[in-house]
Amino acid sequence: MMDHKSKRIAILSPVAWRTPPRAYGAWETIASNITEGLVDHGWKNVTLFATKDSITKAKLVSFVERGYEEDKSQIPLVSTCLHISKALEKADEFDLIHNNFDYLPLTYLPFIKTPMLTTIHGFSDPDILRVYRDHKDTYYVSISDADRDSELPYLATVYNGIDLSNLTFRETPGDKLVHYGRIHNDKGTHLAIEVAKKCGMDLIIAGIIQDQRYFDNLVKPHLNDSSIQYIGPVNPVQRDALLKEAYAVIHLNLIPERFGLVMAESMAAGVPVIAMDLGSCREVIADNQTGYLVNNVDEAVRAVAKIDKIDRRKCRKRVEENFTIDCMVSKYEKVYEEIFRREEKC
Amino acid sequence: MMDHKSKRIAILSPVAWRTPPRAYGAWETIASNITEGLVDHGWKNVTLFATKDSITKAKLVSFVERGYEEDKSQIPLVSTCLHISKALEKADEFDLIHNNFDYLPLTYLPFIKTPMLTTIHGFSDPDILRVYRDHKDTYYVSISDADRDSELPYLATVYNGIDLSNLTFRETPGDKLVHYGRIHNDKGTHLAIEVAKKCGMDLIIAGIIQDQRYFDNLVKPHLNDSSIQYIGPVNPVQRDALLKEAYAVIHLNLIPERFGLVMAESMAAGVPVIAMDLGSCREVIADNQTGYLVNNVDEAVRAVAKIDKIDRRKCRKRVEENFTIDCMVSKYEKVYEEIFRREEKC
């Protein structure tokens, strides 16, 4: 058997943000973690396609200077299609293209010979299934068992792996409730506020405002300088400081979670998570062990009351055993091997 | 020399609207006119790639049921990229692909062998030049001499050709000012209102509202049941009735016009046009002969006062000699021949 680790792997990252992102940017974070993890695992020919200001130990190839979310003079689709098409123009130089940039790369599949693995980081709208379902002869990975389309052929579920280096485990809980991620109705920021008020606890909110009207109407009116604060987006260092304050993280998502990086990060810091029982939450959290799955605000309030029953070391351990970069890359290695096996048969 | 009219031509139309569109849809209109015109000129192998509900005498191939502007359940980019990629997957079946759908098809050029001619129907934003300038080894046509990027290699300017069948020439002028097209600041609807008020003439406004806030703030407050009316979008039959009412068409565009179908249609009906001297307007209108080029509202008001100096038959004649489907298709035939000549040399 040829040494797989000599195979030429292209990781296609999005170009919304730098890879890795400075603050927000979940897909770029995972694309970066896969790339760096492969290099750390001894893969010798890894190329990252990402913005020019990206940082990697692999080879970086770029056609777009900066992320279109960071440089608003760009039309997102212009940067997106240039990035994808010019990367795929080099398809013959690789043994595998690992696509982390949604559905548009799939439309170039009929024109290239190199196998493509697409990690579906989420179905942003049911309509994008038209593209996925049009390409059933390619390779897919889901990021949770919950986030699957019944018609697509998946090779595996590979949970997102997070970088633990800025997630300090702390056995002693903080005294505040914390809610972070992107501020949007889908993430239930307003429900976190309700929970905090009903518990009579302080709440710190962090993250980018993805829906300004939602923020203005349902979040901003509740903010004050003491009990309910919004501190803006946080980078990994700021996030670590934030989680130090946390008694629990409140994550009452209103749509099914696809994976839920926030939950994994929180548990890595030893912080139990109270999450809505929707989508992947019950795959990430071990109910009653590393947090509580709830169905509404009142259940969340009752869950806060029994947070002291959670062993914070179990939270950390769950992440170490399931959601590290090392775990993720090991699983992707198996997926890559399976693809190489199938392609050799062809 | 092989008979060019046996060559296999693919016309790639947009899928925002049906081809031809029911009302608004300039790019689909031209794509339709090219397709039907080629068939009328005796081309034997013309294929139109457009929405499934499109109407053509050529062969229709569709991957999208309805226009994404007519069926809002679609994500425009999903329909767009499926339409383009699946059409270009068939590239080998054609001798020439005539792209009328903007820049995204160009990103598939490295993967196909068939020559592509792109009619650039407009630069919607300077940033899209990144894609065009990245593909200088393909074929471009501009729709006016004014609407050119200095860095791109153009084969020709081919003016848009319009269907005269629903544009009745009328020697007798109507008694109203008319403004139509898409309602947007770029098209100066508010300036047409100013002109009408200063002239003390009635104004009829027609067209789709492209910017609702603009309409609500700068158009709606001036509307009444008599002197200034908005009648909504018009189909070709309604447009013909509208132009019957017209003493002149007021077209005080605030950005350079790329071509200006409205001006050609108006002249076809014998209606002189008062247009801002920006972009292609001085190519479409013969100043002092078929209308007046102006620089502001006051000049437009003075132009209205001398409309009776314009010979309405000259308006019609200018269109018949320059802006018919027949003129356009004859010019495209020359462009196609030039492409075939160049490709044979390769």
Side-chain angles (χ1 to χ4, degrees):
Chain A
M1 195 174 105
M2 184 197 162
D3 179 16
H4 283 153
K5 295 190 175 176
S6 312
K7 297 262 191 187
R8 301 161 301 170
I9 310 292
I11 308 291
L12 189 61
S13 187
V15 288
W17 308 95
R18 188 187 76 179
T19 300
R22 288 173 176 80
Y24 179 77
W27 298 4
E28 286 85 352
T29 299
I30 301 306
S32 173
N33 290 352
I34 293 169
T35 307
E36 306 315 302
L38 287 169
V39 173
D40 291 343
H41 277 218
W43 290 72
K44 298 175 199 76
N45 288 301
V46 183
T47 302
L48 173 67
F49 288 93
T51 58
K52 201 167 190 172
D53 56 357
S54 293
I55 298 163
T56 180
K57 295 191 292 273
K59 184 183 171 195
L60 177 67
V61 179
S62 308
F63 309 104
V64 170
E65 296 289 318
R66 296 172 59 210
Y68 56 75
E69 293 287 359
E70 299 179 74
D71 166 16
K72 294 288 190 180
S73 73
Q74 298 168 58
I75 305 249
L77 181 57
V78 169
S79 297
T80 298
C81 73
L82 276 176
H83 173 67
I84 291 169
S85 65
K86 292 176 83 69
L88 296 184
E89 219 180 309
K90 295 178 181 291
D92 286 350
E93 300 172 22
F94 298 96
D95 298 302
L96 178 64
I97 296 158
H98 185 167
N99 166 33
N100 288 275
F101 197 9
D102 221 15
Y103 63 86
L104 192 56
L106 299 172
T107 67
Y108 296 82
L109 270 178
F111 307 105
I112 64 174
K113 288 182 201 120
T114 309
M116 186 185 285
L117 169 66
T118 297
T119 296
I120 303 179
H121 289 282
F123 299 107
S124 56
D125 186 289
D127 193 47
I128 71 174
L129 280 167
R130 272 196 289 156
V131 182
Y132 289 112
R133 289 177 180 172
D134 194 51
H135 293 281
K136 291 185 178 170
D137 52 349
T138 181
Y139 300 108
Y140 292 115
V141 150
S142 55
I143 58 167
S144 67
D145 293 338
D147 198 45
R148 284 193 166 198
D149 174 58
S150 62
E151 290 190 24
L152 295 184
Y154 293 92
L155 278 180
T157 286
V158 180
Y159 293 125
N160 287 333
I162 60 174
D163 179 4
L164 296 186
S165 62
N166 280 301
L167 288 161
T168 314
F169 172 68
R170 291 187 177 90
E171 203 153 344
T172 314
D175 60 356
K176 293 183 169 65
L177 297 179
V178 164
H179 169 89
Y180 78 99
R182 54 191 173 89
I183 312 296
H184 188 284
N185 187 62
D186 291 348
K187 297 293 184 182
T189 309
H190 60 298
L191 301 182
I193 294 170
E194 260 193 76
V195 171
K197 287 187 171 177
K198 288 194 171 179
C199 293
M201 288 183 74
D202 290 352
L203 174 70
I204 309 180
I205 300 165
I208 63 159
I209 296 168
Q210 201 178 46
D211 181 337
Q212 188 67 46
R213 216 168 64 170
Y214 170 76
F215 179 82
D216 291 344
N217 292 337
L218 291 173
V219 178
K220 209 174 171 187
H222 300 284
L223 300 180
N224 52 52
D225 291 339
S226 55
S227 62
I228 299 181
Q229 287 181 57
Y230 169 63
I231 61 168
V234 285
N235 64 26
V237 173
Q238 295 163 325
R239 183 190 60 201
D240 202 37
L242 172 68
L243 288 170
K244 189 184 171 189
E245 306 290 318
Y247 182 68
V249 160
I250 309 295
H251 189 80
L252 301 182
N253 48 301
L254 287 169
I255 59 164
E257 198 59 63
R258 296 158 184 164
F259 172 74
L261 283 173
V262 162
M263 296 186 284
E265 290 164 1
S266 305
M267 292 190 300
V271 180
V273 180
I274 295 167
M276 203 70 96
D277 189 8
L278 271 175
S280 62
C281 294
R282 62 170 48 241
E283 294 174 62
V284 178
I285 295 169
D287 196 17
N288 294 310
Q289 303 267 329
T290 70
Y292 296 103
L293 295 165
V294 301
N295 294 294
N296 52 52
V297 166
D298 286 339
E299 285 183 27
V301 171
R302 287 197 290 275
V304 172
K306 52 182 180 173
I307 281 289
D308 56 1
K309 294 203 168 63
I310 302 287
D311 178 351
R312 292 170 71 97
R313 283 167 301 193
K314 276 194 185 161
C315 296
R316 175 74 179 192
K317 201 169 164 225
R318 182 162 181 81
V319 175
E320 286 173 346
E321 289 176 356
N322 296 280
F323 308 125
T324 62
I325 296 176
D326 191 50
C327 296
M328 174 175 68
V329 171
S330 296
K331 279 185 198 151
Y332 273 122
E333 286 175 324
K334 289 205 182 74
V335 172
Y336 291 2
E337 277 166 34
E338 174 65 19
I339 293 172
F340 296 142
R341 194 155 37 232
R342 293 192 190 190
E343 292 291 320
E344 271 162 29
K345 274 190 200 154
C346 295
Chain B
M1 193 173 108
M2 183 197 164
D3 179 15
H4 283 152
K5 295 190 176 176
S6 311
K7 295 263 192 187
R8 299 160 302 169
I9 310 293
I11 308 291
L12 189 60
S13 187
V15 288
W17 309 95
R18 189 189 74 179
T19 299
R22 288 173 175 82
Y24 179 77
W27 297 6
E28 285 86 350
T29 298
I30 300 306
S32 173
N33 290 352
I34 293 169
T35 307
E36 306 314 303
L38 286 170
V39 173
D40 291 343
H41 276 220
W43 290 71
K44 298 175 199 77
N45 289 301
V46 183
T47 302
L48 173 67
F49 288 92
T51 58
K52 201 166 190 174
D53 56 357
S54 294
I55 298 164
T56 180
K57 294 191 292 271
K59 185 183 170 194
L60 177 67
V61 179
S62 308
F63 309 104
V64 170
E65 296 288 319
R66 296 172 58 209
Y68 57 73
E69 293 287 0
E70 300 179 74
D71 166 18
K72 294 288 190 180
S73 73
Q74 297 169 59
I75 304 249
L77 180 58
V78 169
S79 297
T80 297
C81 75
L82 275 176
H83 173 68
I84 291 169
S85 66
K86 292 176 83 68
L88 295 183
E89 219 180 308
K90 295 179 182 291
D92 286 349
E93 300 172 21
F94 298 96
D95 299 303
L96 178 64
I97 296 158
H98 186 167
N99 166 33
N100 287 276
F101 197 9
D102 222 13
Y103 62 86
L104 192 56
L106 298 172
T107 67
Y108 296 82
L109 269 178
F111 308 104
I112 64 173
K113 288 181 201 121
T114 308
M116 187 186 284
L117 169 66
T118 298
T119 297
I120 303 179
H121 289 282
F123 299 107
S124 55
D125 187 289
D127 192 46
I128 72 174
L129 280 167
R130 271 197 289 156
V131 181
Y132 288 113
R133 288 177 181 172
D134 194 51
H135 293 281
K136 291 185 178 169
D137 52 349
T138 181
Y139 300 108
Y140 292 114
V141 150
S142 56
I143 58 167
S144 67
D145 292 339
D147 198 45
R148 284 193 166 199
D149 173 59
S150 62
E151 289 190 24
L152 295 184
Y154 293 91
L155 278 180
T157 286
V158 180
Y159 293 124
N160 288 334
I162 59 173
D163 179 3
L164 296 186
S165 61
N166 279 301
L167 288 161
T168 313
F169 171 68
R170 291 188 177 89
E171 201 153 346
T172 314
D175 60 357
K176 294 181 170 64
L177 298 178
V178 164
H179 170 88
Y180 79 98
R182 55 191 172 90
I183 312 297
H184 189 283
N185 188 62
D186 291 349
K187 296 294 184 181
T189 309
H190 60 297
L191 300 182
I193 294 170
E194 260 194 74
V195 171
K197 286 187 172 179
K198 287 195 172 178
C199 292
M201 288 184 74
D202 291 352
L203 174 70
I204 310 180
I205 300 165
I208 63 159
I209 296 168
Q210 201 178 44
D211 182 337
Q212 187 68 47
R213 215 167 66 169
Y214 170 75
F215 179 82
D216 291 345
N217 291 336
L218 290 173
V219 177
K220 210 174 170 187
H222 300 284
L223 300 181
N224 52 50
D225 291 339
S226 54
S227 62
I228 300 181
Q229 288 180 57
Y230 170 62
I231 61 169
V234 285
N235 64 27
V237 172
Q238 294 164 325
R239 183 189 62 203
D240 201 36
L242 172 69
L243 288 170
K244 189 184 171 188
E245 306 290 316
Y247 183 70
V249 160
I250 309 296
H251 189 82
L252 301 181
N253 49 303
L254 286 169
I255 60 164
E257 199 59 62
R258 296 158 184 164
F259 172 74
L261 283 173
V262 161
M263 297 185 284
E265 290 163 0
S266 305
M267 292 190 300
V271 181
V273 180
I274 295 166
M276 204 70 96
D277 189 8
L278 272 174
S280 61
C281 294
R282 62 169 51 241
E283 294 174 61
V284 178
I285 295 168
D287 196 17
N288 294 311
Q289 303 267 329
T290 70
Y292 296 104
L293 294 164
V294 301
N295 294 293
N296 52 52
V297 165
D298 287 338
E299 286 182 26
V301 171
R302 288 196 290 276
V304 172
K306 52 181 180 172
I307 280 291
D308 55 1
K309 294 205 167 63
I310 302 288
D311 178 353
R312 293 171 71 98
R313 284 166 301 191
K314 275 194 184 162
C315 295
R316 176 75 179 192
K317 201 170 163 224
R318 182 162 180 81
V319 175
E320 286 172 347
E321 289 176 355
N322 296 281
F323 308 125
T324 62
I325 295 176
D326 191 51
C327 297
M328 174 176 69
V329 171
S330 297
K331 279 184 198 152
Y332 273 121
E333 286 175 323
K334 289 204 181 73
V335 172
Y336 291 2
E337 277 165 32
E338 175 64 18
I339 293 172
F340 296 142
R341 195 156 34 235
R342 293 192 190 190
E343 292 291 321
E344 272 161 27
K345 273 190 200 153
C346 294

